[in-house]
């Protein structure tokens, strides 16, 4: 049982995860930010490893990735930082990134290394279910890593069931079919979608992401799911001066 | 078909559909329906009628006599430059707009490098009365200005892509983002044999009209359907795949794909993907792409906006890996000189993309009886500015 599974076994609601990009705003900031987020009360973290062509990301996260690459962030560098990170941070850690850097590192080697360094799960938005099942799942399972699948309002119930079968930690519900950094608009359609998924009584807990930016959207998401993920809003904060000092208030502001 | 796609969308080790879940329904809808739709008799009738009466097909297979004398073989140009809108891109745009209509889509998006695919897409959208948004890198908008004006005149919105190298790969990223945000009513007309399955197969089928016609025309010219050599330039590789398609299983036909070496393969300013690239994933398929050891996509360079792409279609990657086709490259200088030669020897100003294919003739040795077909993928009007600056005309 990895840390994610332990967390979900112990805590069923109001889970808060924060996303940020490794290497942004500067190289060697990854560990300090993680430590500050844990202290501020985040339940688990998603650390993005940057990619030059991130098609699912909006302008804020895309900019952070470009900056991180300019700063010299690489997978090897991130893995160095994770060694230090696990000495100071105990909450579950997910890595999030696109498939090509993983393919270049070698999928088996990547999973083994991530697991050794205390990573609990991986989110790869452009790795679809068929490719995961056929080519990648054994490496994830052998290394006790959770693979997290995305679900959108357009994902069919059959496909959600299949995703639930293949998942062993949580399902990532996108608040809308869009790139990151949009505004969460709680239209009837979206509420119907949340209700529809909730009524499916899935085996895995669900976490809502994309468009969670304040206490109101966080609370709303927690009505329908076990928690929510904040990404672009936090990455914006990292672009400000004295961002480290602002982290506790930011997390408190989201939690309310 | 021996070199065709398998049921999961792979050509050997390449292909697949590496897309975020947000695009899954769109791509799955296409995958489930494209073969049924394009094999439907009504679809075929409408497609063939438009190709004949709107595009002006069949495009001639021209026996280039002065080229034949110069190079010591029978050189034929497949004249895709004579198509309406000036390149082979219209074949695929017509096919996809008819498909989009049958899927009930109300809005079209596209990416473009040289602007030829953008113009073709804007044209078919005007023809069908459908809204059209074309993404184009800022750098390409500047160097292909006449095509930007054409697209606007045809009623399309041209949106600049300002990230990364501001060229074709970034325009593709922007178009994919648009599609993610508009999953229900929008069809994305990809212009090359790239992207997630079924795009590489679908675009190759629409472009295969090029080799289908060539076979028939060769019989008329030479009494034989099979040439010794078939040449075409490769960016993403749609004209080359159309030109190769019906010759793939004829193993005696030597297929030559010409990439853009830019300022030289090792100059750091090149788009010669098979020389500089490695296997990886780009824009939804596993293929060969130019990248750092860390998997970051390297920005390509070519004087030719249509070849300025860091990858090739997955079927090309397969043909390269198994050695069914030969992949070579030509520099900016060689291509521009070849464009001038073609203008002055045959009275045809070719697109700089096509000039890359023409330039490779200089490096080949022929027997006098060899029949050689080169895909003249587009005309050079859009490139006049580049030619003029280079030759100081």
């Amino acid at each position: 049982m990895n840390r994610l599974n332990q967390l979900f076994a112990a805590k069923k609601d109001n889970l808060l995860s924060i996303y940020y990009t490794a290497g942004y705003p500067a190289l060697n900031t990854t560990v300090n930010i993680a430590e500050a987020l844990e202290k501020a009360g985040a339940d688990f973290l998603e650390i993005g490893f940057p990619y030059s062509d991130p098609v699912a990301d909006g302008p804020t996260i895309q900019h952070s990735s470009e900056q991180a690459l300019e700063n010299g962030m690489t997978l090897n560098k991130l893995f160095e930082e994770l060694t230090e990170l696990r000495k100071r941070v105990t909450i579950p850690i997910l890595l999030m990134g696109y498939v090509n850097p993983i393919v270049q590192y070698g999928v088996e080697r990547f999973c083994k290394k991530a697991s050794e360094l205390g990573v609990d799960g991986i989110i790869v938005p452009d790795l679809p279910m068929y490719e995961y099942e056929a080519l990648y799942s054994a490496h994830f399972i052998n290394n006790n890593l959770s693979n997290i699948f995305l679900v959108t309002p357009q994902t069919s119930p059959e496909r959600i069931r299949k995703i639930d079968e293949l998942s062993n930690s949580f399902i990532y519900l996108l608040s809308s079919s869009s790139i990151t950094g949009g505004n969460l608009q709680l239209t009837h359609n979206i509420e119907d979608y949340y209700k529809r998924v909730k009524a499916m009584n899935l085996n895995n807990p669900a976490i809502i992401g994309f468009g969670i930016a304040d206490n109101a959207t966080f609370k709303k998401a927690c009505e329908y799911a076990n928690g929510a993920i904040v990404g672009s809003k936090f990455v914006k904060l990292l672009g400000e001066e004295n961002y480290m000092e602002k982290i506790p208030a930011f997390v408190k502001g989201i939690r309310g | 078909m021996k070199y065709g796609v398998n049921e999961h969308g792979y050509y050997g080790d390449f292909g697949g559909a590496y897309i975020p879940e947000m695009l899954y329904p769109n791509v799955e809808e296409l995958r489930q329906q494209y073969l049924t739709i394009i094999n439907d008799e009504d679809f075929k009738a409408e497609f063939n009628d438009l190709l004949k009466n709107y595009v002006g097909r069949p495009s001639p297979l021209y026996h280039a006599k002065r080229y034949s004398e110069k190079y010591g073989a029978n050189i034929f140009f497949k004249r895709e430059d004579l198509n309406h809108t000036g390149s082979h891109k219209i074949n695929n745009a017509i096919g996809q707009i008819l498909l989009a209509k049958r899927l009930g889509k109300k809005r079209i998006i596209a990416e473009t490098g040289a602007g030829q695919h953008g113009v073709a897409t804007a044209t078919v959208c005007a023809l069908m009365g459908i809204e059209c948004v074309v993404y184009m890198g800022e750098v390409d908008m500047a160097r292909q200005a006449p095509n930007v004006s054409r697209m606007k005149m045809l009623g399309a919105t041209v949106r600049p892509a300002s990230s990364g190298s501001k060229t074709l790969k970034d325009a593709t990223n922007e178009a994919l983002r648009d599609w993610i945000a508009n999953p229900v009513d929008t069809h994305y007309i990809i212009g090359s044999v790239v992207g997630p399955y079924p795009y590489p197969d679908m675009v190759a089928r629409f472009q295969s009209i090029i080799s289908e016609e060539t076979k028939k025309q060769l019989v008329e010219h030479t009494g034989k359907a099979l040439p010794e050599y078939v040449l075409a330039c490769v960016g993403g590789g749609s004209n080359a795949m159309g030109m190769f398609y019906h010759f793939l299983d004829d193993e005696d036909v030597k297929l030559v794909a010409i990439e853009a070496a830019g300022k030289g393969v090792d100059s750091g300013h090149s788009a010669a993907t098979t020389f500089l690239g490695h296997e990886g994933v780009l824009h939804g398929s596993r293929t060969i792409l130019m990248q750092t050891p860390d998997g970051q996509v390297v920005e390509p360079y070519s004087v030719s906006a249509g070849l300025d792409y860091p990858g090739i279609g997955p079927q090309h990657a397969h043909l390269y890996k198994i050695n069914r086709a030969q992949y070579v490259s030509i520099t900016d200088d060689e291509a521009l000189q070849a464009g001038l030669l073609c203008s002055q020897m045959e009275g045809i100003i070719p697109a700089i993309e096509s000039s890359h294919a023409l330039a490779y003739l200089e490096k080949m040795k022929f027997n006098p009886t060899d029949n050689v077909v080169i895909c003249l993928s587009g005309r050079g009007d859009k490139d006049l500015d580049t030619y003029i600056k280079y030759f100081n005309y």
Side-chain angles (χ1 to χ4, degrees), chain A residues 50-57 62 66 69 73-75 99-101 103-104 125-128 130-131 135-136 150-152 154-155 159 174 177-179 210, chain B residues 8 10 16-22 24-25 163-164 169-170 173-174 176-177 180-181 183-184 278-283 286 289 291-297:
Chain A
Y51 179 52
S52 54
D53 294 75
V55 292
D57 290 328
Q62 188 187 10
E66 281 173 11
L69 288 173
M73 180 48 67
T74 64
L75 265 184
V99 72
N100 194 47
V103 168
Q104 298 315 311
D126 58 344
L127 176 59
Y130 167 75
E131 270 73 12
L135 306 169
Y136 300 90
L150 309 183
V151 164
T152 82
Q154 271 77 39
T155 308
R159 198 167 158 81
L174 300 194
S177 188
S178 74
I179 52 179
F210 284 31
Chain B
H8 296 298
Y10 278 86
Y18 288 81
I19 44 164
E21 180 64 23
M22 297 83 104
Y24 179 81
S163 64
K169 112 181 147 66
D170 310 290
N173 292 335
E174 287 302 321
L176 284 168
R177 288 197 181 102
I180 287 170
V184 180
H278 303 282
E279 294 181 19
V281 175
L282 178 65
H283 294 146
R286 187 179 255 274
L289 63 137
Q291 54 183 320
T292 64
D294 223 32
Q296 308 298 340
V297 181

Side-chain angles (χ1 to χ4, degrees), chain A residues 88-153:
Chain A
R88 287 157 59 185
V89 174
T90 60
I91 55 177
I93 301 286
L94 303 178
L95 296 186
M96 182 164 186
Y98 290 81
V99 72
N100 194 47
I102 298 177
V103 168
Q104 298 315 311
Y105 194 87
V107 178
E108 188 174 3
R109 183 170 161 238
F110 176 86
C111 289
K112 191 162 179 282
K113 186 81 179 171
S115 176
E116 279 170 10
L117 294 172
V119 171
D120 304 289
I122 313 282
I123 306 176
V124 191
D126 58 344
L127 176 59
M129 201 160 32
Y130 167 75
E131 270 73 12
Y132 173 72
E133 254 193 300
L135 306 169
Y136 300 90
S137 60
H139 303 309
F140 278 68
I141 293 163
N142 292 342
N143 288 292
N144 198 22
L145 287 172
S146 299
N147 178 47
I148 287 92
F149 290 98
L150 309 183
V151 164
T152 82

Side-chain angles (χ1 to χ4, degrees), chain B residues 235-257:
Chain B
S238 70
N239 90 89
M241 203 43 71
M243 187 75 249
F244 292 172
Y245 198 90
H246 289 281
F247 296 112
L248 285 172
D249 288 342
D250 301 314
E251 308 273 354
D252 290 340
V253 178
K254 296 179 193 73
L255 308 173
V256 185

Side-chain angles (χ1 to χ4, degrees), chain A:
Chain A
M1 198 183 244
N2 62 33
R3 291 178 198 81
L4 261 182
N5 302 126
Q6 289 168 16
L7 171 68
F8 285 109
K11 188 172 174 185
K12 303 290 183 200
D13 46 28
N14 294 315
L15 289 154
L16 173 64
S17 175
I18 306 280
Y19 168 91
Y20 65 102
T21 306
Y24 179 81
L27 209 57
N28 303 319
T29 48
T30 313
V31 181
N32 288 343
I33 292 169
E35 194 176 34
L37 283 169
E38 178 172 34
K39 278 190 184 140
D43 291 303
F44 61 103
L45 302 178
E46 289 173 38
I47 301 177
F49 49 94
Y51 179 52
S52 54
D53 294 75
V55 292
D57 290 328
T60 303
I61 293 180
Q62 188 187 10
H63 169 75
S64 71
S65 292
E66 281 173 11
Q67 189 64 53
L69 288 173
E70 273 179 38
N71 293 342
M73 180 48 67
T74 64
L75 265 184
N76 279 321
K77 176 74 191 146
L78 174 59
F79 285 152
E80 276 172 33
E81 294 195 350
L82 287 176
T83 312
E84 176 65 21
L85 187 146
R86 266 295 169 227
K87 293 177 192 159
R88 287 157 59 185
V89 174
T90 60
I91 55 177
I93 301 286
L94 303 178
L95 296 186
M96 182 164 186
Y98 290 81
V99 72
N100 194 47
I102 298 177
V103 168
Q104 298 315 311
Y105 194 87
V107 178
E108 188 174 3
R109 183 170 161 238
F110 176 86
C111 289
K112 191 162 179 282
K113 186 81 179 171
S115 176
E116 279 170 10
L117 294 172
V119 171
D120 304 289
I122 313 282
I123 306 176
V124 191
D126 58 344
L127 176 59
M129 201 160 32
Y130 167 75
E131 270 73 12
Y132 173 72
E133 254 193 300
L135 306 169
Y136 300 90
S137 60
H139 303 309
F140 278 68
I141 293 163
N142 292 342
N143 288 292
N144 198 22
L145 287 172
S146 299
N147 178 47
I148 287 92
F149 290 98
L150 309 183
V151 164
T152 82
Q154 271 77 39
T155 308
S156 68
E158 298 75 40
R159 198 167 158 81
I160 296 175
R161 288 276 175 221
K162 177 82 180 166
I163 285 170
D164 194 33
E165 266 174 45
L166 286 177
S167 298
N168 62 357
S169 59
F170 73 94
I171 291 166
Y172 193 145
L173 289 189
L174 300 194
S175 60
S176 65
S177 188
S178 74
I179 52 179
T180 61
N183 289 319
L184 179 61
Q185 296 190 343
L186 284 167
T187 61
H188 287 299
N189 285 345
I190 294 295
E191 292 212 49
D192 286 349
Y193 149 67
Y194 290 154
K195 283 180 191 162
R196 184 158 51 83
V197 176
K198 192 165 185 170
M200 290 179 77
N201 287 319
L202 301 176
N203 296 321
N204 290 278
I207 301 287
I208 292 176
F210 284 31
I212 312 295
D214 52 25
N215 179 244
T217 45
F218 177 71
K219 267 173 38 193
K220 199 75 192 168
C222 290
E223 280 178 31
Y224 297 101
N226 305 73
I229 298 164
V230 178
S232 297
K233 188 77 178 177
F234 183 67
V235 172
K236 261 188 200 138
L237 178 86
L238 297 180
E240 295 174 11
E241 280 181 24
N242 304 321
Y243 62 88
M244 286 300 293
E245 293 154 29
K246 296 176 183 171
I247 289 176
F250 179 89
V251 173
K252 207 172 166 196
I254 298 284
R255 278 215 186 275

